[in-house]
Amino acid sequence: MPCSRAAFDDAHALSVLRREARVAPVNDKAGKPVGIDEHIGRRPVFAAGNVRSGGDIQMLQYTRKRPRPGFALLIHHDDAAREFAYEETDGASMKAAREGGWVVVSMQRDGRRIFDETRARIGNGRG
């Protein structure tokens, strides 16, 4: 995705802002930590990703690294009855979660604790 970046140029008689065309990092895989750094300028305290294509692995690794650990959450979409289920063919995200100590939420196993069907039927509990 193209974007522009302004640069201050005072090498000539007039000081000007010059726009430079550049390509923004791709918001997938190794591009996610780069984009996070460009937008917020620091390592996140919390990040959540999905099992799908391995596209969130580097973002979650970046969140968990020192100097201080962050909280990494991986959503495992494994419940075709309530939501589209999909698995990675190589299991890279689940393997990275085990190795990295991330919290994994299974839509099938943990979904009732997250989406209580009783509350869903009666509304949000505000009357």
Side-chain angles (χ1 to χ4, degrees), residues 13-50:
L14 296 174
S15 296
V16 296
L17 286 178
R18 180 174 30 93
R19 299 228 181 257
E20 301 171 331
R22 66 183 184 105
V23 176
V26 176
N27 190 27
D28 196 27
K29 300 186 178 175
K32 285 197 175 193
V34 173
I36 289 168
D37 185 68
E38 285 188 355
H39 289 284
I40 66 173
R42 63 176 62 189
R43 191 180 306 269
V45 174
F46 170 82
N50 294 290

Side-chain angles (χ1 to χ4, degrees), residues 54-74:
D56 292 330
I57 292 172
Q58 289 88 348
M59 171 185 67
L60 295 169
Q61 288 171 334
Y62 178 61
T63 300
R64 287 282 295 166
K65 297 287 182 185
R66 304 267 180 228
R68 52 124 191 95
F71 184 83
L73 174 71
L74 184 69

